[in-house]
Amino acid sequence: YKRQKYGGREMAVGKKGEKTKRKIFVTAMKLFKEKGYDNVTVDEIVKEAEIAKGTFYIYFRTKAHIVAEVFTELDINYEKSMKKVEFLGSSVEKVKKLLNDAIEIQRDYVGYDLSTIGYRAQLELHIEYSMDEERPLYQYTAKLIREGQMRGEFNKDNTPEYYTKILIRSIRGAIYEWCVSYNNYDFVEDGKKYIENLLKILK
């Protein structure tokens, strides 16, 4: 059993429960992408997922909580990226690759529409998961910066945790600008240049 926290209710969830929760999440994401978040109701989600409405509310309070669950899904992708960057030589290249992967995941896995909805959902629900410093992206980035400082690749003017906060806060700001720009520019290419220049501050 594990305890779920952000997308739904605080409770212990077994393997069967995780499977049901996952089914609701995948079904809802499919409908959101097909019809638009505001055009999908809970009734449609439960009908498509072939579950009782009461079952839905065991795992999610509202459909906005489903969108909030996207951030926990992102963490799974970050963990996969971390395994890939371990094979790179320098710490600078590792941080660059990890953060570049993060913006590509945001564009390709989440997409523009759900990114916009995700930020809206966090504001509506007072959820601060994207800023949780216990998340894998924070932890992995801080680990790599600490490694780079020990190797002499990054300066020691500030702690790895502080530099991590600056980098991820900057990326989060870039995502916000992408959302409010109505997707009118290449977010990934712009983001990679942004990261390249940010890393120069740390060297």
Side-chain angles (χ1 to χ4, degrees), residues 181-199:
S181 77
Y182 298 100
N183 195 20
N184 66 0
Y185 66 95
D186 190 327
F187 167 62
V188 169
E189 285 307 308
D190 184 77
K192 287 180 178 179
K193 291 177 183 176
Y194 198 55
I195 291 166
E196 183 80 38
N197 284 290
L198 281 171
L199 288 176

Side-chain angles (χ1 to χ4, degrees), residues 24-130:
I24 296 169
F25 175 81
V26 171
T27 301
M29 288 298 107
K30 174 177 173 288
L31 290 171
F32 292 159
K33 289 179 179 180
E34 287 175 357
K35 303 176 67 174
Y37 173 80
D38 290 321
N39 299 319
V40 176
T41 64
V42 171
D43 286 335
E44 288 177 278
I45 295 169
V46 299
K47 183 179 179 182
E48 185 77 15
E50 299 180 329
I51 60 168
K53 196 169 184 177
T55 302
F56 175 92
Y57 289 113
I58 290 173
Y59 300 98
F60 299 100
R61 292 187 179 94
T62 67
K63 67 176 186 177
H65 282 88
I66 298 176
V67 178
E69 190 75 10
V70 168
F71 291 99
T72 65
E73 292 285 312
L74 284 174
D75 289 345
I76 297 170
N77 287 281
Y78 295 151
E79 288 169 358
K80 292 176 182 176
S81 294
M82 190 61 186
K83 290 177 181 177
K84 289 189 291 185
V85 305
E86 290 291 352
F87 295 101
L88 298 176
S90 74
S91 300
V92 174
E93 288 303 313
K94 288 178 182 179
V95 173
K96 186 191 301 183
K97 173 64 175 169
L98 180 64
L99 298 183
N100 284 343
D101 279 2
I103 60 174
E104 287 184 4
I105 289 166
Q106 190 75 34
R107 181 195 64 183
D108 300 334
Y109 176 76
V110 183
Y112 172 77
D113 291 337
L114 287 182
S115 293
T116 304
I117 294 163
Y119 278 102
R120 192 174 94 189
Q122 286 191 95
L123 288 170
E124 288 176 3
L125 303 172
H126 303 288
I127 293 173
E128 299 179 351
Y129 189 49
S130 66

